[in-house]
Amino acid sequence: MRSHCLDNSFQPSPRGCNAAMLSFLSLLFFNLLITFTAAGQDYYERLLLRPLPQSALLASFNFRSNESSASFDQQNFRYFPRSLGQILQHARTKELHLRFSLGRWDAESWGQRPWDGAREGGTGVELWAWLEAQSEEEAFSRWLTLTNALSGLFCASLNFIDATKTIRPVMSFQPEGDHHNSSNLHLLHGTLPHEVVCTENLTPFLKLLPCKGKAGVSSLLDGHKLFDASWQTMSIDVRPVCGKDGADCVLEMEQSVDMVLDIDRSRRPRDNPIPRPLPIEEIACDTSKHYNAEDTCYPLHKSAEPGWNLTEIFGRPLKGACPLTDGDGEGANTVCINTPPERIIQANTTGQYLETWIASDTVRCYKLPTGSDFDLNLPEQEMTTGLILATPPLFAARSINGHGQERGSIQAIIRNPSATDAVEFVYLESLPWFMKPYLHTLRARVDTTSTNPIQETYYRPAVDRARGTHLELRMLIPASSTLTLTYDFEKAILRYTEYPPDANRGFDVAPAVLKLLSSQSSLGDNKGVYLRTTSLLLPLPTPDFSMPYNVIILTSTVMALGFGNIFNLLVRRFVGAEEVMALGAGGLRGVVAARVAAMRTRLLGR
Amino acid sequence: MRCQQLSTPRRRHHRKMPPSTQVDALSTPTRAPDGSETAANAAEGAPARRQPPPESNESMWTRRAVIFSFWAVVVFLGLPVWWKTTAIYRADLPLQAMTDWADGKICKPVFPLRIAVEASALQSPDAQHLIRTTQHALDDLNEFSAHHLRLMLADSPWTANLSQQVVSDGLRISGKDEDIALTIRLVPVETGTTPRSHLQQYAPTLDVYYAANQIPPASSTSSPLATFIAHELHKMFAEEQAQLAYLLSTTSSAHSAKIKSLSPETAAELERQSTRALKYAPTYHLTFSLFSPTFVPSAWEIESALQQYLAPLLESFSSISNFTVDSQVQLYAGFSPSIRQPEYDETLNAWTLRKEDLSGFINAAEWPLSPSIGIGPTVNFVLYVPDQSQSPLLVKENGGNSWLIPQWGGVLILNPAQAANTANTPTTLTREALAPAMHTFANQLLSLLGLPQTPNSLPLRLSTLKRVRAASLLFSASSTLGALARLTRALPSIPIPDKVAISVDFTTDHLQQACNNLREGRFQGALEHARIAEAEAEKAFFERSMVGQVYFPDEHKAAVYLPLMGPVAVPLLMAALKEFKGLSARRRG
């Protein structure tokens, strides 16, 4: 029953599919609302909560601060952080996108990605930026300045984004901001799939916010919970936004944190985090089982939505509103929750708050009180209605096939769930130089037609130790069909010093980025719709790391042997074996033999 | 059992070997492993021994030649190649000259200041005489020989008479010369006390008013007017002399003898000033930050405040240093929790911080006061607006609200209730409310830059700063050279690339020019040369490739060399030793 629902690609609430009585409410994309808020105001923040199936909860934090470009140029920073602003000015960066991600978005059960994937990155760190420069060399040197400076700011290994990890995408990324002279702009893109995102990256992220996690929705962000999530992504986007006539430009910085929390896991107390079975009295048992007894129990599937509250889930209370946001209007509703209208939600606070129902009552928004704690409490509840989660436009999975230390192949399976619409998209691969694809083995097949889905190819081959492979494919996938993309590759053998300390773990290959061309973003702006696969782990042949010393010893031994023999042949005097003793040059054995003989004569003589 | 089984096939193998007929000697060693036979032979008695044929002279000489040629290859080819390929490249540095610079043996900086005297109302001989007597009085007053004032008669642009064109004895200088430190304008007056002087605040000009009868007659050697001018000048340059004397005494031992004149109090005060001041840099970054523990005030009119209160000051500094200015607003940023919380003081009617806690006031962990990007130090100015519940916040001991952090910046606590006379903290700080803060910051900036307190004329203070900076740069570049020389001597294993040698040459070149400029009284030029010298010296000292291979342990070298060198060296040495033994034995025998 349950799997049947999954196959139909819509997701009711986890109370299951035992529901002729279950009615579905069409889910309006709440994200749409966010775009209505005017870009003119200086600071804006919002938290959107959306319960997902299997007791998961999506929490999307969004913070936006503006700085007029005049005061940015004069380095008078108000809401824009000075540290980041100076880096951008120093590296002449006009638009910046930085992502820190962890985990995997389970599109099969969670549906469409938040922000249509435009605010998420591949596993690890991903950075792309438009830099102003006269030439490619200048752009690259500024890119290095930028990555080094950001590395210090965010405590991440961004300085390891060098020429081998940098590509210049052609079709996959478009600037989001309004740029005046786009001819001087250079797009550079770098990824660090190996980077482990953790608390040390969150702290500088929070410091960039005007309310610094001390007030407003950012006070919920806690490293323990954020990095314990099933999936999380932190993003920073800086872009210039101009008015209709090209005047009144502001520099907009958008920071967002999206995470999917497991409600059960998050509710575990921090001092007792190990899941233990409940005492049998507290478990609802399936009494129809024949083995059901005092001490044996088959637990019944819980059909009710779990109860939770903000403080429990995030590990800390929400400390009221950040007073820098608008006092009234759309921007004042800083916490929103997207549930069916029947779900009971209690707001707990000592201060004044305001509840607003929007989007056919499927979204409830709260205006937070200033200066006092705020909590949302959702009790455990049997639900009769659920929300339809939007189906993602594409499903993508990628894996490494093959065996052995020499070759392998990549297989990417991309599925279009739509029954009516074909989807055109760009597939971007950024491969490390030591993974050398054979482009002649590149095959793309669609299971429903025999036409080649590849419409355009952009390929820049790798140069050993200088740059990685950059492959961009524009492809078209017909309605309700599956595209399989495969190519073979060869694994290079690295130099001794090029291996990382954990060489046997394997090397991470950056996720592939899919940009949808045909479908318009539901957000109605030029952010685009994106999809990323997971990163891959590529095992490379690893040498024995004591090798250089072995080589030194072995070659030295061989050379010494050869030398010793030749030298001895040249300088030794050769005599007959019987004549050795006469010369008194029997070596060690001669000495021993002489001693023995002397002893013998002494003993026998007596 | 097993040994026998093993040995039998070997023996059989030996027997199967075709007898080597060509050289009998070669076949002998193959039979040697049969130790039992030889041992038995030896045991049976010496008489049965066969004597080997005597070694021919020819083969002896061949052997010696072989050993010698091996040794020759090792010594004359192997060792030099090894030495050459493992040697660290060290460019030649003029170590002695560098040490001499550091010890102050090459350049003894002197500061001859030229002072123009404009005496338009006086006849030329009278003016010359006045200058001579004043110079005489001045020289008597001066205790610090490196710094001396030279009076010169200036051409008055509006009175060009014949005598001035005729006389060209080097004592006259054009009135528009940039290197004139000060212009004295002699103005005859009828009224008021005479002589009296007035120093112009925004021009390097001292107006001296005198009565006509105070001009010294040609016969006299001293006059009240001359003494007055000399005393005025001495007073004006006293602080500069003290600063320079202090600088000379601290930076090099060679000069320490000269500053007997500095009293301990003056020296302590100068030391305080110099530890406070930032190191010289061609560019300073100024960061103005507004911190508040709450969410108000969240805006300030910093742009116009900077424009009005700070821009003119920075402009006047442009000949010495450049400045970049940035500002930020940080909310929810309380001061450091490590210090004692403020206490309420009934008498002051204010919350108070203890003086000893001020050093820990800056919350370095949370306040984003990272240095600005780019070359040059960052000077921070922190404006802290306390919480409404803790306002006004003052320093307990003296009721002040601002303090200076040496070589870092300044802090000011702005209590908005005082400034705006309202109950609530305003959300925006206006330009007027920022005025006292900006004045304080300007003063703090001046002392952070090391500007002297006197005289009360900005151009004069700036030119003093220029001389002090030039001298300090000169000393610092010289001492960097000395340090580099010491480093080169102390660490024989660091490489020295050619770049360093070039930089050192460049530095000494510019140091020499700076020194010459100082001697000739061209202080702007001296400052520029000293600045280049300092930058080059730093570049040479912090050359990146010099630190790369400092440590390469000997055990590592042994581990790499020994597997080859050991087995090769032993036969060579043994053969040589044996040959020497045989040689000496034959000579004896």
Side-chain angles (χ1 to χ4, degrees):
Chain A
M1 199 57 190
R2 219 179 140 64
S3 59
H4 172 69
C5 285
L6 285 170
D7 287 346
N8 281 337
S9 303
F10 49 73
Q11 286 294 312
S13 61
R15 62 183 293 279
C17 307
N18 54 348
M21 59 189 217
L22 188 69
S23 64
F24 293 109
L25 292 166
S26 66
L27 180 121
L28 288 177
F29 271 116
F30 178 69
N31 293 340
L32 195 63
L33 294 166
I34 285 169
T35 56
F36 292 149
T37 56
Q41 81 206 37
D42 285 334
Y43 182 66
Y44 164 89
E45 64 175 31
R46 172 162 287 169
L47 164 65
L48 170 65
L49 298 160
R50 180 189 293 162
L52 293 174
Q54 294 155 3
S55 76
L57 174 74
L58 168 69
S60 288
F61 294 80
N62 186 249
F63 312 94
R64 202 164 59 210
S65 44
N66 290 339
E67 192 78 62
S68 78
S69 55
S71 57
F72 180 78
D73 290 340
Q74 288 182 355
Q75 302 206 5
N76 290 321
F77 302 105
R78 191 172 166 221
Y79 292 136
F80 201 95
R82 165 177 165 265
S83 44
L84 184 63
Q86 288 192 331
I87 290 172
L88 296 185
Q89 283 176 344
H90 192 68
R92 301 283 187 84
T93 308
K94 295 297 163 193
E95 186 173 327
L96 171 95
H97 302 273
L98 177 62
R99 306 276 186 268
F100 298 92
S101 311
L102 203 64
R104 184 180 76 95
W105 175 264
D106 185 2
E108 298 280 351
S109 40
W110 300 340
Q112 170 67 310
R113 288 150 191 267
W115 311 102
D116 286 339
R119 289 287 173 265
E120 72 170 82
T123 311
V125 177
E126 191 172 340
L127 169 73
W128 67 101
W130 276 267
L131 293 101
E132 194 178 55
Q134 299 300 324
S135 64
E136 300 232 323
E137 289 75 33
E138 197 184 22
F140 186 70
S141 74
R142 284 184 179 159
W143 170 252
L144 289 184
T145 314
L146 177 72
T147 52
N148 279 298
L150 288 177
S151 166
L153 185 60
F154 290 104
C155 302
S157 319
L158 280 160
N159 51 331
F160 284 96
I161 298 183
D162 53 4
T164 61
K165 293 181 177 114
T166 303
I167 55 167
R168 294 159 186 268
V170 179
M171 297 182 282
S172 300
F173 296 99
Q174 293 301 322
E176 286 179 17
D178 306 318
H179 298 285
H180 289 308
N181 47 349
S182 49
S183 58
N184 280 346
L185 291 181
H186 296 259
L187 166 66
L188 289 103
H189 177 274
T191 48
L192 284 176
H194 186 50
E195 184 78 6
V196 181
V197 184
C198 202
T199 329
E200 74 269 20
N201 308 120
L202 177 69
T203 312
F205 183 90
L206 285 182
K207 272 191 187 177
L208 299 181
L209 295 170
C211 282
K212 295 190 178 56
K214 303 257 174 76
V217 296
S218 58
S219 59
L220 287 176
L221 287 170
D222 176 28
H224 289 95
K225 298 289 179 185
L226 178 59
F227 299 107
D228 193 38
S230 314
W231 173 83
Q232 72 86 14
T233 179
M234 294 195 291
S235 73
I236 291 176
D237 297 86
V238 181
R239 57 177 187 146
V241 180
C242 289
K244 289 270 187 300
D245 49 351
D248 307 329
C249 288
V250 293
L251 200 71
E252 182 192 286
M253 173 157 121
E254 195 176 339
Q255 287 176 267
S256 64
V257 178
D258 297 289
M259 54 186 186
V260 175
L261 288 163
D262 187 322
I263 292 179
D264 293 334
R265 190 179 164 88
S266 302
R267 281 170 62 197
R268 274 178 220 150
R270 194 182 288 179
D271 52 343
N272 185 17
I274 303 162
R276 293 186 175 84
L278 290 169
I280 199 158
E281 302 82 52
E282 291 175 27
I283 305 173
C285 296
D286 188 353
T287 48
S288 64
K289 301 282 179 197
H290 68 274
Y291 48 76
N292 187 55
E294 281 286 301
D295 54 348
T296 41
C297 174
Y298 182 85
L300 266 180
H301 182 73
K302 241 185 198 172
S303 58
E305 284 265 358
W308 53 272
N309 61 48
L310 286 180
T311 313
E312 220 174 42
I313 290 268
F314 290 99
R316 45 170 76 178
L318 174 49
K319 295 193 183 99
C322 176
L324 305 177
T325 52
D326 264 5
D328 49 306
E330 200 71 60
N333 294 327
T334 42
V335 175
C336 291
I337 180 160
N338 182 200
T339 53
E342 65 165 320
R343 188 84 162 104
I344 301 161
I345 303 176
Q346 297 147 357
N348 287 343
T349 177
T350 52
Q352 290 280 317
Y353 74 98
L354 204 72
E355 190 178 19
T356 325
W357 294 64
I358 44 176
S360 325
D361 292 349
T362 54
V363 175
R364 269 165 275 185
C365 285
Y366 298 87
K367 186 187 162 193
L368 301 182
T370 305
S372 50
D373 286 3
F374 179 85
D375 198 2
L376 285 179
N377 192 18
L378 284 85
E380 191 172 319
Q381 192 184 0
E382 284 284 345
M383 299 287 286
T384 53
T385 51
L387 294 178
I388 304 173
L389 292 171
T391 317
L394 283 181
F395 292 98
R398 188 181 63 154
S399 55
I400 288 185
N401 297 341
H403 55 86
Q405 305 250 298
E406 201 185 347
R407 280 163 221 280
S409 75
I410 288 254
Q411 184 183 48
I413 299 173
I414 300 153
R415 183 161 64 87
N416 181 1
S418 161
T420 51
D421 297 326
V423 176
E424 192 181 8
F425 65 95
V426 177
Y427 179 87
L428 167 73
E429 283 266 33
S430 165
L431 303 174
W433 65 265
F434 44 79
M435 182 178 167
K436 296 170 176 167
Y438 293 126
L439 210 60
H440 72 275
T441 60
L442 183 78
R443 300 272 182 279
R445 288 184 313 274
V446 178
D447 55 353
T448 50
T449 66
S450 58
T451 51
N452 188 358
I454 299 178
Q455 301 189 318
E456 199 178 338
T457 307
Y458 182 88
Y459 176 63
R460 196 158 184 254
V463 176
D464 276 4
R465 296 176 180 84
R467 69 169 194 230
T469 306
H470 166 201
L471 174 66
E472 264 179 292
L473 301 168
R474 191 159 63 84
M475 294 191 276
L476 183 75
I477 175 166
S480 59
S481 37
T482 304
L483 188 153
T484 310
L485 181 80
T486 57
Y487 57 85
D488 295 349
F489 62 85
E490 189 189 62
K491 299 173 188 179
I493 292 176
L494 301 188
R495 286 183 190 143
Y496 176 70
T497 50
E498 286 169 344
Y499 287 94
D502 55 347
N504 287 303
R505 177 184 169 269
F507 291 74
D508 291 88
V509 179
V513 181
L514 282 83
K515 188 202 180 184
L516 272 70
L517 296 175
S518 51
S519 68
Q520 270 302 306
S521 165
S522 59
L523 306 178
D525 57 14
N526 50 0
K527 282 178 183 152
V529 182
Y530 286 91
L531 201 68
R532 280 172 173 81
T533 66
T534 50
S535 61
L536 293 174
L537 203 54
L538 171 74
L540 281 191
T542 45
D544 168 15
F545 288 102
S546 61
M547 175 181 67
Y549 301 97
N550 300 345
V551 167
I552 288 175
I553 301 276
L554 195 72
T555 47
S556 299
T557 310
V558 168
M559 281 170 74
L561 260 175
F563 172 82
N565 279 337
I566 293 170
F567 184 74
N568 280 339
L569 277 179
L570 287 174
V571 300
R572 288 270 160 100
R573 183 184 169 199
F574 294 100
V575 292
E578 309 83 55
E579 300 159 1
V580 169
M581 289 316 291
L583 265 177
L588 188 65
R589 191 174 39 216
V591 173
V592 171
R595 283 273 166 85
V596 168
M599 290 258 283
R600 221 185 208 177
T601 45
R602 256 167 80 186
L603 285 173
L604 290 179
R606 212 172 271 177
Chain B
M1 261 311 264
R2 211 162 151 188
C3 287
Q4 279 179 0
Q5 276 175 349
L6 275 174
S7 62
T8 11
R10 204 169 82 181
R11 217 176 277 174
R12 214 185 298 145
H13 174 74
H14 284 304
R15 277 177 202 147
K16 267 189 203 162
M17 261 178 74
S20 56
T21 46
Q22 297 102 327
V23 195
D24 184 45
L26 268 177
S27 64
T28 348
T30 50
R31 247 185 283 153
D34 287 348
S36 54
E37 287 171 56
T38 29
N41 273 354
E44 260 166 83
R49 277 181 192 159
R50 253 175 60 191
Q51 287 293 327
E55 196 175 20
S56 71
N57 229 3
E58 196 186 333
S59 71
M60 218 148 68
W61 279 111
T62 317
R63 189 166 69 231
R64 281 179 197 160
V66 165
I67 293 172
F68 175 76
S69 55
F70 266 101
W71 274 100
V73 166
V74 166
V75 171
F76 297 109
L77 193 69
L79 284 179
V81 166
W82 172 76
W83 185 256
K84 191 79 192 155
T85 50
T86 58
I88 297 160
Y89 181 75
R90 287 165 74 89
D92 277 336
L93 292 183
L95 293 180
Q96 191 51 48
M98 286 156 76
T99 317
D100 288 350
W101 269 107
D103 295 342
K105 284 181 193 157
I106 294 182
C107 174
K108 291 195 171 33
V110 285
F111 305 92
L113 264 64
R114 275 182 276 185
I115 292 167
V117 180
E118 277 180 17
S120 47
L122 286 180
Q123 288 296 314
S124 185
D126 284 348
Q128 295 284 7
H129 181 65
L130 177 66
I131 285 171
R132 228 167 289 142
T133 46
T134 316
Q135 183 74 54
H136 197 72
L138 206 54
D139 290 347
D140 286 347
L141 282 171
N142 197 6
E143 296 160 326
F144 181 50
S145 60
H147 183 277
H148 55 89
L149 307 169
R150 268 185 80 83
L151 296 176
M152 288 169 174
L153 191 60
D155 291 327
S156 305
W158 60 89
T159 55
N161 58 25
L162 270 173
S163 64
Q164 281 174 333
Q165 286 169 359
V166 175
V167 181
S168 58
D169 52 359
L171 280 172
R172 281 165 197 282
I173 42 174
S174 152
K176 290 202 174 65
D177 196 331
E178 274 189 2
D179 294 316
I180 295 175
L182 176 72
T183 310
I184 298 176
R185 261 203 336 233
L186 292 174
V187 185
V189 285
E190 305 287 316
T191 53
T193 53
T194 51
R196 64 176 195 273
S197 69
H198 171 72
L199 183 63
Q200 293 193 9
Q201 211 170 345
Y202 295 107
T205 308
L206 179 75
D207 292 329
V208 176
Y209 302 98
Y210 66 98
N213 61 352
Q214 286 167 326
I215 298 297
S219 54
S220 72
T221 52
S222 71
S223 80
L225 180 60
T227 324
F228 174 77
I229 295 174
H231 273 279
E232 281 296 305
L233 287 175
H234 184 69
K235 208 165 67 194
M236 269 168 66
F237 288 101
E239 186 176 350
E240 179 179 335
Q241 286 196 352
Q243 271 196 345
L244 288 170
Y246 175 73
L247 193 67
L248 288 178
S249 71
T250 50
T251 46
S252 75
S253 53
H255 303 284
S256 58
K258 290 177 189 165
I259 53 140
K260 289 167 298 227
S261 56
L262 278 186
S263 68
E265 298 88 61
T266 328
E269 170 64 23
L270 286 168
E271 191 186 347
R272 214 163 65 85
Q273 275 182 23
S274 69
T275 50
R276 204 186 254 183
L278 287 151
K279 213 170 151 262
Y280 175 80
T283 306
Y284 292 101
H285 305 285
L286 309 184
T287 299
F288 292 85
S289 314
L290 170 65
F291 286 97
S292 165
T294 60
F295 58 90
V296 279
S298 66
W300 55 343
E301 292 178 353
I302 186 71
E303 255 161 72
S304 56
L306 287 175
Q307 197 58 41
Q308 184 169 354
Y309 302 115
L310 206 71
L313 179 69
L314 297 184
E315 209 167 291
S316 60
F317 268 95
S318 57
S319 67
I320 301 177
S321 293
N322 293 322
F323 296 90
T324 68
V325 182
D326 57 82
S327 72
Q328 62 175 340
V329 179
Q330 292 293 333
L331 308 176
Y332 291 102
F335 56 80
S336 177
S338 60
I339 65 169
R340 227 166 314 170
Q341 287 304 303
E343 294 160 0
Y344 192 72
D345 191 323
E346 294 288 343
T347 53
L348 280 170
N349 199 16
W351 293 83
T352 53
L353 282 168
R354 282 163 189 279
K355 204 173 171 184
E356 64 262 29
D357 283 341
L358 296 184
S359 58
F361 183 83
I362 299 296
N363 192 350
E366 281 189 28
W367 291 3
L369 290 171
S370 51
S372 294
I373 296 188
I375 301 152
T378 303
V379 191
N380 289 285
F381 293 103
V382 171
L383 184 71
Y384 184 81
V385 180
D387 192 358
Q388 193 62 45
S389 62
Q390 287 187 343
S391 180
L393 185 65
L394 298 172
V395 179
K396 191 180 185 74
E397 279 74 9
N398 54 9
N401 67 339
S402 69
W403 62 93
L404 185 139
I405 299 170
Q407 303 193 4
W408 188 84
V411 182
L412 182 128
I413 298 174
L414 185 73
N415 295 302
Q418 294 176 321
N421 293 322
T422 51
N424 286 325
T425 312
T427 44
T428 306
L429 290 175
T430 59
R431 192 177 70 192
E432 288 71 35
L434 288 173
M438 284 297 148
H439 286 305
T440 312
F441 287 154
N443 279 333
Q444 287 174 340
L445 179 63
L446 290 186
S447 49
L448 283 168
L449 291 175
L451 198 70
Q453 313 284 323
T454 55
N456 191 21
S457 164
L458 191 63
L460 275 184
R461 283 157 75 189
L462 280 173
S463 65
T464 300
L465 183 63
K466 206 180 284 180
R467 286 186 282 276
V468 174
R469 288 299 197 195
S472 70
L473 280 176
L474 193 74
F475 290 133
S476 118
S478 310
S479 75
T480 309
L481 281 187
L484 182 61
R486 278 200 303 281
L487 181 81
T488 311
R489 287 199 181 110
L491 296 176
S493 65
I494 61 164
I496 295 172
D498 278 332
K499 262 191 284 178
V500 173
I502 293 168
S503 282
V504 166
D505 286 347
F506 209 61
T507 309
T508 45
D509 192 31
H510 278 280
L511 277 178
Q512 193 59 56
Q513 288 189 43
C515 196
N516 294 344
N517 274 327
L518 274 187
R519 196 173 301 134
E520 289 155 20
R522 291 198 300 269
F523 301 112
Q524 182 67 36
L527 178 68
E528 264 146 37
H529 283 296
R531 191 188 284 178
I532 299 170
E534 161 79 0
E536 282 294 325
E538 294 283 313
K539 207 170 93 186
F541 190 78
F542 291 107
E543 169 65 38
R544 212 179 290 169
S545 57
M546 275 168 57
V547 287
Q549 293 176 310
V550 176
Y551 186 66
F552 208 57
D554 287 338
E555 299 87 55
H556 196 129
K557 286 181 196 160
V560 170
Y561 288 136
L562 213 62
L564 180 66
M565 295 303 170
V568 170
V570 167
L572 270 180
L573 276 175
M574 292 311 286
L577 267 176
K578 210 168 152 191
E579 206 52 41
F580 274 118
K581 251 190 198 164
L583 208 68
S584 58
R586 203 163 306 159
R587 236 178 239 169
R588 235 179 280 145

